[in-house]
Amino acid sequence: MKLLTHNMLTSHVKGVTKGYPLLIKATEVKVNEVEFNPQFVSRMIPKLEWSALVQAAEELGHRQDLPGELVADYETNEEFLKKVHRILLEVEVLEGCLQCPESGREFPISRGIPNMLLNEDEA
Amino acid sequence: MVGTRFFLSKEEKKVIRKQIKASHTLLKHEGISTTPHPTESVVVANGGLGNGVSREELLSVLTEAEEVESLFMPPHKPYAFVTYRSVESARRALTQLNGQKLQSEENSITLYLSYVNSVTFEEEKSVPLPEGLVLVEEFVSPDEEAVLLAAIDWLSSNEDVTAQKSLKHRRVKHYGFEFRYDNNNVDKDKPLRAGLPDECLPVLERCVKSGLISIMPDQLTVNQYESGQGIPPHVDTHSAFEETIISLSLGAKTVMEFRHPDGRLVPVVLPGRSLLVMRGESRYLWTHGITPRKFDMVPACSPHSPASDLGTNRNLTLSKRGTRTSFTFRKIRHEPCCCAFPSTCDSQGAASAFSPSPSSPPSLPCCHADATRLEEEYVHRVYNAIASHFSSTRHSPWPSVCHFLSLLPAGSVLADVGCGNGKYLGVNPELITVGCDRSNALVQICVERGFQAFVSDALSVPLRTASCDACISIAVIHHFSTPERRLAAVRELTRILRPKGQALIYVWAFEQEYNKQRSKYLKEQIKDMQHISKGTNSKLSVHTNRTAFNTQDLLVPWHLKEGKKQGEEDSGENTKKDKKTSGNSLPVFHRYYHVFQQGELEQLCGQVAGVRVCRSYHDQGNWCVILEKD
């Protein structure tokens, strides 16, 4: 699971209103090399929930010097885009779980795949 | 490099050209960068496990030149990496070996060597064996093996002593009781006249003495597999046999694959003369099967405990299959099974994934609980079981769907709800795409292909409201068994869309012929009588593949094929041959569908507030709508 995906995921346990962002408890993280496409990264940024991304990066210990707020004129800031590219597309959680911040319910991540299925009573 | 000549011969130029071409291919398809500057590491194009070259064959060629420090052959790849002691050594090796021919099996392969800057090994963790599985090597001696093999007379016409059938793919013989492939059970009231052959007694006594079994088996099934034959994944019927099942491998080794319902796959090498003991989870929950292959990937040197060594990539080679005969001993069970695995237990209510028609056919559900159970049995379990075969028949994205995807602006967030094997996730690389599916096995295939996907139900998608610019749901909603659930699925799709976002939905059409055009699903010759019959009872009927539908709620058969096949792509189902002549041993799965009538999908979407239908059409046997959120 890449952090781009994590940024979109939310807890959907019945009754939960503050299910986003999910907390990440990772036991295995991998960093891949992905081709850097500045325009693609640039287009992704407005779709993101920035603070959730920073929090996730922090939880994984991969925040490095990612700023707490979006920088202005990021479209032309190649260095910044590279940092975003790395954290969104290159860092991958292979094993661990995602935890609902409100209910504490844990969704396992196995072989890079989050299993978000709910039980009968949670749906 | 070429002595004192300044000019290269024609032959030398040709080799260099081909070497450069091989380098480009490696870069383009495998992401491997070669370098013109000599280093200690070399990539050998065309010398890989993936193109039929074994470790031994490659080593014998390589060591003709220079001593090799290490050789890494990545599984399934058409190249290998060699590391030499020094740069000079590598240079000499490259000069001598570049363009060298290698005779492998019936093929002549030309090796092209190039320098690489680094070789990265992907060290995978060793995979543990399924719970309850024990492999005992060298259980019988070569002499004992010969005696046992000789005890089976395949040509005997003594039909009432044994039951010998020549199944399409492998030879089978039963002793003690006959195992029936039509219901995957045993005729407990009709024992075969002769019991187990006397030659088996010493082996069985050894099993009892070693504590591997406590009761003497009374049923024996002998399977003979030629190279290229196998057996599809299955769980031995719980109600037919007691817990412990032992299987002796004779004549040749093979690789047996164990699959857990959650999608995990564990390959286990079964050496010749070894005994496999299955209990607990490995007997009751995991399926086991042998993929029909001529070559298996096995560890190169036989280490001391090899069974789980397929988990590491370090030293693999190809092993050609020989003829393997298995002796599987089982004890007939006379009371119902009460194991801890009800999901796969036919005594405890699970319809065995293998039985062609369950004893009591399902009915159309009238409440959510029934619907959930029906869909679990006739959709989710089936897709998990057939995932890889299913995926191999779903390789061509439909043009109209691709068109929808191509029109989305670059950088759009797209959700594919019910993404299956990820067919559409990579169609438009400018999009930010995420897929989800109810089947873990299918999601694994997506991730293996490099896409992002997660497991979830389409009725409750864990994406934030209004977070997607677009979504697609192709051939998904027709698997929901009540109108309320189908409506709920459409509501979820619209919930995750942002205002003005669009959703594309495809469902299977009741009307397979539209505008005088028959869909590819229908077979040419069959004359259809098209009318909708609401059954007199509410039992779901089983559809005959490739014919017109005559009811909207039905079970559609899927015939699991052994191994992968690039099957024909069509709007619905696979299988050119639906009339199985001798496929008694091949399982048939039934999937639940509600096929939509003309206008029904639009009407369904019309019930959802905040969204309108902007396009509605028929495409190759499917009804399709494009919705736009207000």
Side-chain angles (χ1 to χ4, degrees):
Chain A
M1 181 201 70
K2 300 187 182 182
L3 291 191
L4 175 59
T5 307
H6 167 263
N7 203 262
M8 295 167 62
L9 287 171
T10 182
S11 166
H12 52 153
V13 174
K14 189 163 70 177
V16 162
T17 51
K18 294 194 174 65
Y20 180 88
L22 290 158
L23 306 169
I24 313 180
K25 294 180 180 176
T27 53
E28 197 184 323
V29 178
K30 191 166 95 151
V31 182
N32 306 304
E33 221 184 278
V34 176
E35 202 185 312
F36 173 60
N37 182 334
Q39 290 103 336
F40 187 64
V41 178
S42 194
R43 283 188 211 115
M44 269 196 288
I45 291 173
K47 313 277 180 177
L48 301 170
E49 194 57 55
W50 188 259
S51 54
L53 177 65
V54 175
Q55 184 181 321
E58 190 87 58
E59 281 174 314
L60 294 185
H62 277 270
R63 181 174 170 178
Q64 297 179 348
D65 48 358
L66 200 68
E69 307 244 315
L70 258 185
V71 312
D73 300 331
Y74 58 78
E75 300 97 327
T76 47
N77 188 333
E78 175 143 324
E79 214 183 289
F80 176 75
L81 290 178
K82 279 209 171 112
K83 288 181 194 161
V84 177
H85 165 83
R86 188 180 172 278
I87 197 65
L88 272 183
L89 299 176
E90 294 191 328
V91 176
E92 207 180 338
V93 180
L94 293 181
E95 302 286 331
C97 71
L98 296 170
Q99 188 179 42
C100 171
E102 188 178 316
S103 68
R105 195 325 186 164
E106 290 185 351
F107 298 95
I109 303 175
S110 170
R111 294 165 81 162
I113 300 170
N115 187 331
M116 308 299 296
L117 283 177
L118 294 170
N119 302 322
E120 290 270 320
D121 49 326
E122 293 171 309
Chain B
M1 188 171 106
V2 290
T4 55
R5 273 184 289 145
F6 289 103
F7 301 107
L8 299 171
S9 71
K10 228 182 174 174
E11 188 54 44
E12 283 161 338
K13 279 190 199 163
K14 183 175 166 195
V15 167
I16 289 176
R17 255 199 334 267
K18 293 216 166 177
Q19 179 204 347
I20 292 174
K21 184 162 181 241
S23 288
H24 284 162
T25 306
L26 282 173
L27 179 62
K28 187 174 167 196
H29 292 161
E30 308 285 344
I32 295 171
S33 302
T34 58
T35 169
H37 303 290
T39 66
E40 291 151 346
S41 307
V42 165
V43 64
V44 183
N46 298 337
L49 293 172
N51 64 311
V53 177
S54 75
R55 194 181 177 84
E56 290 77 15
E57 283 166 335
L58 186 61
L59 270 173
S60 74
V61 171
L62 293 174
T63 48
E64 272 170 30
E66 291 284 315
E67 205 183 308
V68 164
E69 184 171 80
S70 74
L71 169 63
F72 176 46
M73 299 186 81
H76 312 297
K77 297 294 187 187
Y79 55 83
F81 294 107
V82 188
T83 315
Y84 291 95
R85 294 259 152 82
S86 66
V87 176
E88 262 314 302
S89 179
R91 283 176 93 153
R92 286 194 295 269
L94 198 130
T95 310
Q96 192 175 337
L97 296 172
N98 198 21
Q100 175 98 304
K101 292 207 197 304
L102 179 152
Q103 197 67 29
S104 168
E105 285 297 302
E106 311 90 25
N107 308 319
S108 176
I109 289 171
T110 309
L111 304 173
Y112 295 106
L113 280 69
S114 304
Y115 302 110
V116 287
N117 275 320
S118 61
V119 179
T120 41
F121 298 93
E122 255 195 43
E123 282 279 7
E124 283 176 25
K125 295 185 294 278
S126 229
V127 178
L129 290 182
E131 187 268 314
L133 194 68
V134 172
L135 181 68
V136 187
E137 292 193 58
E138 310 265 348
F139 196 74
V140 295
S141 69
D143 286 340
E144 287 170 327
E145 176 185 48
V147 165
L148 286 165
L149 288 173
I152 312 301
D153 181 4
W154 293 102
L155 301 172
S156 126
S157 56
N158 209 344
E159 281 294 307
D160 54 349
V161 173
T162 65
Q164 177 183 316
K165 303 267 156 70
S166 181
L167 296 174
K168 197 174 173 191
H169 300 276
R170 62 189 196 278
R171 288 206 290 191
V172 183
K173 234 177 144 145
H174 300 283
Y175 296 81
F177 291 83
E178 184 181 348
F179 184 79
R180 290 174 49 182
Y181 291 93
D182 56 347
N183 65 354
N184 283 296
N185 215 314
V186 167
D187 240 325
K188 298 177 190 181
D189 306 315
K190 294 206 226 109
L192 297 165
R193 204 158 43 84
L196 275 47
D198 292 333
E199 290 89 342
C200 301
L201 273 175
V203 173
L204 292 176
E205 272 159 17
R206 188 175 304 158
C207 291
V208 173
K209 245 185 160 159
S210 331
L212 296 167
I213 52 174
S214 44
I215 320 165
M216 282 297 270
D218 54 8
Q219 198 269 340
L220 165 65
T221 297
V222 181
N223 278 291
Q224 190 175 75
Y225 303 82
E226 307 278 344
S227 166
Q229 294 179 339
I231 182 170
H234 62 282
V235 176
D236 284 20
T237 307
H238 292 207
S239 66
F241 309 107
E242 295 288 350
E243 176 171 8
T244 308
I245 294 176
I246 53 179
S247 192
L248 194 58
S249 294
L250 303 173
K253 64 150 108 58
T254 192
V255 173
M256 178 169 278
E257 285 161 345
F258 285 81
R259 287 175 173 81
H260 190 277
D262 69 10
R264 274 178 287 158
L265 188 147
V266 178
V268 180
V269 179
L270 302 180
R273 297 184 289 111
S274 69
L275 184 79
L276 185 70
V277 185
M278 299 197 299
R279 304 168 80 162
E281 273 194 26
S282 69
R283 177 317 187 210
Y284 285 127
L285 184 66
W286 295 67
T287 66
H288 56 275
I290 295 175
T291 305
R293 280 198 279 249
K294 296 212 165 132
F295 289 86
D296 289 305
M297 264 192 332
V298 300
C301 35
S302 267
H304 308 290
S305 62
S308 53
D309 257 20
L310 283 174
T312 62
N313 282 340
R314 289 306 294 251
N315 290 308
L316 295 177
T317 185
L318 292 178
S319 164
K320 187 173 185 184
R321 282 205 187 160
T323 300
R324 169 182 170 267
T325 306
S326 71
F327 279 57
T328 302
F329 297 95
R330 299 178 278 207
K331 172 82 184 71
I332 299 293
R333 185 190 288 267
H334 295 286
E335 278 117 32
C337 175
C338 52
C339 66
F341 309 96
S343 66
T344 46
C345 184
D346 61 317
S347 293
Q348 297 179 64
S352 134
F354 269 66
S355 60
S357 46
S359 44
S360 73
S363 333
L364 208 57
C366 46
C367 64
H368 272 306
D370 283 349
T372 310
R373 263 192 293 273
L374 177 80
E375 289 158 21
E376 176 61 42
E377 188 62 45
Y378 292 98
V379 179
H380 308 313
R381 277 186 19 147
V382 177
Y383 276 112
N384 273 329
I386 69 176
S388 79
H389 180 210
F390 176 80
S391 175
S392 69
T393 62
R394 264 52 181 171
H395 46 81
S396 315
W398 289 334
S400 303
V401 180
C402 294
H403 181 69
F404 175 85
L405 295 173
S406 70
L407 294 177
L408 298 172
S412 296
V413 174
L414 172 79
D416 183 345
V417 179
C419 60
N421 67 347
K423 189 160 89 161
Y424 295 108
L425 298 179
V427 164
N428 184 342
E430 305 278 312
L431 308 177
I432 300 164
T433 309
V434 73
C436 67
D437 201 275
R438 183 62 173 67
S439 162
N440 193 314
L442 285 172
V443 171
Q444 282 218 13
I445 292 174
C446 294
V447 169
E448 272 162 30
R449 290 182 167 176
F451 301 126
Q452 286 287 282
F454 55 90
V455 179
S456 89
D457 199 301
L459 296 181
S460 178
V461 180
L463 295 174
R464 288 181 299 154
T465 302
S467 60
C468 301
D469 296 300
C471 59
I472 60 174
S473 190
I474 311 297
V476 179
I477 295 182
H478 53 207
H479 282 309
F480 287 108
S481 53
T482 69
E484 293 79 18
R485 290 166 78 80
R486 295 189 280 270
L487 182 61
V490 178
R491 286 214 167 101
E492 265 300 270
L493 290 174
T494 60
R495 179 186 68 79
I496 62 178
L497 279 178
R498 59 139 172 94
K500 296 285 177 262
Q502 291 195 332
L504 174 66
I505 304 176
Y506 265 56
V507 293
W508 220 1
F510 176 80
E511 301 86 347
Q512 285 296 306
E513 193 172 329
Y514 186 67
N515 279 343
K516 300 274 191 284
Q517 283 217 309
R518 295 166 69 89
S519 77
K520 286 194 192 127
Y521 173 73
L522 297 172
K523 257 209 279 240
E524 291 302 320
Q525 306 89 317
I526 297 182
K527 290 247 161 261
D528 316 309
M529 282 286 291
Q530 177 120 100
H531 61 272
I532 300 175
S533 68
K534 295 269 180 227
T536 45
N537 55 21
S538 58
K539 296 277 182 220
L540 292 171
S541 53
V542 177
H543 174 65
T544 305
N545 270 332
R546 318 278 262 139
T547 62
F549 297 116
N550 57 17
T551 164
Q552 280 191 272
D553 293 281
L554 56 149
L555 299 172
V556 179
W558 178 283
H559 295 267
L560 192 68
K561 285 281 196 296
E562 294 194 354
K564 289 208 177 95
K565 98 175 196 284
Q566 284 294 304
E568 52 175 28
E569 186 65 74
D570 52 28
S571 63
E573 304 320 296
N574 71 330
T575 86
K576 284 183 178 177
K577 321 170 244 205
D578 290 326
K579 296 278 180 265
K580 292 250 138 233
T581 45
S582 59
N584 294 336
S585 64
L586 289 176
V588 179
F589 295 91
H590 289 134
R591 281 176 303 164
Y592 166 81
Y593 281 87
H594 169 87
V595 295
F596 281 66
Q597 281 186 70
Q598 182 165 12
E600 186 184 337
L601 182 60
E602 288 179 58
Q603 198 234 16
L604 185 72
C605 296
Q607 293 173 54
V608 180
V611 92
R612 66 176 185 97
V613 176
C614 39
R615 239 200 102 194
S616 152
Y617 58 96
H618 185 104
D619 180 18
Q620 270 308 308
N622 296 286
W623 287 118
C624 323
V625 295
I626 298 181
L627 302 179
E628 189 175 292
K629 187 158 171 178
D630 295 342

